[in-house]
């Protein structure tokens, strides 16, 4: 789910795939959720 939301970055090295949080995209996604909640609460 996080990868589909675009907040996880990944890199394949051989047979291994490494994932990490893209903080900029995570903050943008959380801000969008907060804006939605404020507007629809």
């Amino acid at each position: 789910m996080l990868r589909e939301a675009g907040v996880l970055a990944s890199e394949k090295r051989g047979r291994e795939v490494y994932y990490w949080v893209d903080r900029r995209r995570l903050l943008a996604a959380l801000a969008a959720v907060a804006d939605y909640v404020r507007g629809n609460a």
Side-chain angles (χ1 to χ4, degrees), residues 5-37:
V7 298
L8 285 183
S10 64
E11 179 180 327
K12 185 172 182 180
R13 295 183 198 166
R15 294 185 299 174
E16 306 288 330
V17 179
Y18 295 91
Y19 294 94
W20 61 93
V21 174
D22 183 330
R23 290 184 176 140
R24 181 182 54 83
R25 287 188 174 184
L26 177 60
L27 290 173
L30 291 173
V33 170
D35 290 343
Y36 176 82
V37 170

